[in-house]
Amino acid sequence: MAELVDFQNGKVICGRWKVSSQLGAGGCGAVYKVEDLFNKGFSAAMKVESNDVGNMGVLKLEVQVLAKLKDLPDAFRLYDMGKRKKYSFMVMSLGGQDLLNLAMKSPKTLSLPTIARIGIMCLSAIKSIHDVGFVHRDVKPGNFVQGCTTGRLSRLLYLIDFGLIRAYMKEGKDGEMKMRKARTTVALRGTFRYCSLNTHNRIEQGRVDDLYSLLHVLQAINRGLPWDGMKDEKEIMKKKAMDPNIIFKDAPPEFVTIAEYLMTVSTIEKPDYVKVYKLFYEELERNNVNFLTPYEWETKKNDVNTMVEPSKHERKTFQKDSDEKLQYRIYPQLHPKKFEDAGVQLKC
Ligand SMILES: Nc1ncnc2c1ncn2[C@@H]1O[C@H](COP(=O)(O)OP(=O)(O)OP(=O)(O)O)[C@@H](O)[C@H]1O
């Protein structure tokens, strides 16, 4: 069993990063909020992993993925990395709360348009990972983090924790990127509560499996899943094989359409992200909600809208714009066009 790395507040790493609090802890390490002593007022998140984990260590892989995401406008940045005698670390952008906390701490029950809107934020985050050639394989609420604690980015969700990630493409001899061949024996990777039925059946996961997990995540924070509380894998599988009308009975009706669509997509195919986006968006339209509508967890005190919404001057400039257009000026990454094609940077 690897010895856990446990940093006290005030510890300074590399003469630069001063630990100010712990943000989370996992099996092999922990995540800390750190202050940059070279850049007053700047904070970041430091993920630390014990070197005792040997080949099981995932930090190196996480660094590689973050480095690949660097050209995307809205992705966490990698600021530093290093290895000490007992531990390895990486420093990345500091996000806000994770989806698990947001959903649990929300003073009000999350409405269906909020659930669908979270669906779009998560879809965008998942697509970014797919676009750089990886399947995440551990889509769960604790792995979606607000882009920032306050302001515009606090309404966006980014995917973190690339410990179980797997490349689905590889460079062929001709230099072209090709799909990797599916393995015949695959160990289960992911979380029982959220993973797809394919994953339980030990089938090589593809992009579609991350999207199945997303539906499970959304239903879990909505009204819960029919297999909640179950431990036996066979029993869980039986429930997951049920009619989507039963699994998603209290969800926006489009969830069933999305689930039925995903059943038609093979693990090697690229899912139609725009189709899924548009189905989520129908719930927003029905309820007159858009990306500028405050979330249930946003309080007056921490009102993002004062920062997210345009100033009076900007309002005047944009006055001819409808709210629908305005939302895309503020959140261009959520425009349906952005979900259209790969923008793939599959070359290493
Ligand atoms: N960049 C970040 N900004 C803010 N919080 C973060 C960041 N990265 C991680 N966290 C927080 O730390 C928690 C654990 O992070 P992460 O999932 O990467 O660690 P882990 O050791 O792999 O955990 P687990 O074993 O639970 O998956 C997250 O759920 C989140 O709350």
Side-chain angles (χ1 to χ4, degrees):
M1 180 85 177
E3 195 187 320
L4 275 184
V5 182
D6 189 11
F7 289 169
Q8 299 299 310
N9 292 351
K11 182 180 170 71
V12 177
I13 293 106
C14 274
R16 177 173 181 185
W17 305 106
K18 185 175 173 190
V19 174
S20 55
S21 61
Q22 191 178 83
L23 297 168
C28 307
V31 184
Y32 298 93
K33 180 178 174 184
V34 289
E35 288 163 33
D36 185 356
L37 298 179
F38 292 0
N39 189 359
K40 205 166 180 274
F42 182 75
S43 296
M46 174 183 278
K47 189 163 182 176
V48 186
E49 181 181 78
S50 164
N51 291 340
D52 280 0
V53 293
N55 288 338
M56 302 298 285
V58 292
L59 215 65
K60 212 170 142 191
L61 182 63
E62 294 215 44
V63 165
Q64 281 171 14
V65 178
L66 267 184
K68 283 200 174 189
L69 289 170
K70 74 175 190 316
D71 295 329
L72 300 183
D74 284 307
F76 284 152
R77 296 274 167 273
L78 177 68
Y79 294 115
D80 201 358
M81 65 192 138
K83 197 169 180 175
R84 295 286 172 275
K85 206 169 154 208
K86 292 196 167 172
Y87 62 87
S88 303
F89 70 90
M90 68 173 190
V91 183
M92 62 187 140
S93 318
L94 177 67
Q97 297 202 54
D98 64 51
L99 183 54
L100 191 66
N101 276 306
L102 287 173
M104 279 185 337
K105 286 189 189 155
S106 171
K108 300 179 203 147
T109 313
L110 301 183
S111 64
L112 293 186
T114 290
I115 299 288
R117 191 151 50 128
I118 293 171
I120 292 177
M121 306 291 162
C122 296
L123 181 69
S124 167
I126 293 172
K127 186 176 177 292
S128 299
I129 304 289
H130 292 176
D131 282 353
V132 293
F134 296 99
V135 180
H136 187 275
R137 303 199 301 174
D138 199 14
V139 168
K140 60 181 184 182
N143 283 345
F144 287 102
V145 172
Q146 286 174 293
C148 197
T149 42
T150 54
R152 189 186 78 88
L153 296 185
S154 71
R155 290 242 174 103
L156 297 176
L157 291 167
Y158 297 163
L159 204 42
I160 54 160
D161 193 358
F162 308 129
L164 296 183
I165 216 156
R166 184 175 161 84
Y168 62 88
M169 305 285 283
K170 71 168 187 191
E171 199 169 342
K173 282 186 189 135
D174 52 4
E176 288 286 300
M177 295 304 286
K178 294 195 170 72
M179 287 295 293
R180 282 175 86 177
K181 229 175 151 192
R183 294 164 299 172
T184 43
T185 324
V186 187
L188 188 140
R189 291 282 178 270
T191 306
F192 265 19
R193 191 172 182 212
Y194 308 108
C195 71
S196 68
L197 207 49
N198 277 341
T199 310
H200 283 292
N201 284 320
R202 306 325 191 241
I203 292 170
E204 187 82 88
Q205 292 184 54
R207 288 163 282 187
V208 67
D209 296 292
D210 281 346
L211 300 193
Y212 264 118
S213 300
L214 171 58
L215 279 188
H216 293 158
V217 164
L218 296 174
Q219 183 60 0
I221 60 169
N222 177 27
R223 302 285 186 275
L225 293 156
W227 50 90
D228 280 348
M230 292 185 174
K231 293 220 161 58
D232 183 73
E233 190 179 6
K234 291 258 155 8
E235 291 301 313
I236 295 175
M237 287 172 74
K238 261 193 223 157
K239 294 278 180 192
K240 284 190 185 174
M242 287 187 317
D243 184 337
N245 282 292
I246 301 174
I247 301 178
F248 303 109
K249 70 173 182 326
D250 304 310
E254 291 77 17
F255 279 33
V256 174
T257 320
I258 297 173
E260 286 169 348
Y261 160 66
L262 294 179
M263 284 177 201
T264 68
V265 181
S266 81
T267 55
I268 56 165
E269 267 176 286
K270 178 181 159 197
D272 185 343
Y273 303 98
V274 182
K275 185 186 184 91
V276 178
Y277 172 100
K278 286 187 174 160
L279 285 162
F280 280 139
Y281 200 82
E282 280 184 29
E283 178 65 28
L284 274 68
E285 276 190 320
R286 220 180 0 257
N287 291 280
N288 266 327
V289 165
N290 60 45
F291 300 125
L292 304 180
T293 313
Y295 279 118
E296 281 86 349
W297 56 74
E298 289 173 12
T299 59
K300 269 248 151 63
K301 214 173 116 209
N302 181 23
D303 188 355
V304 216
N305 246 3
T306 54
M307 286 162 268
V308 168
E309 283 213 333
S311 63
K312 269 191 189 148
H313 168 73
E314 283 172 319
R315 264 274 177 216
K316 267 191 191 151
T317 326
F318 299 155
Q319 65 195 351
K320 286 204 186 86
D321 284 349
S322 65
D323 254 16
E324 203 200 323
K325 274 192 187 158
L326 191 60
Q327 66 174 344
Y328 295 127
R329 281 179 188 267
I330 295 170
Y331 292 111
Q333 60 279 79
L334 298 178
H335 193 283
K337 275 215 165 323
K338 294 276 171 195
F339 290 75
E340 248 162 41
D341 66 25
V344 181
Q345 309 149 23
L346 288 174
K347 277 246 172 212
C348 305

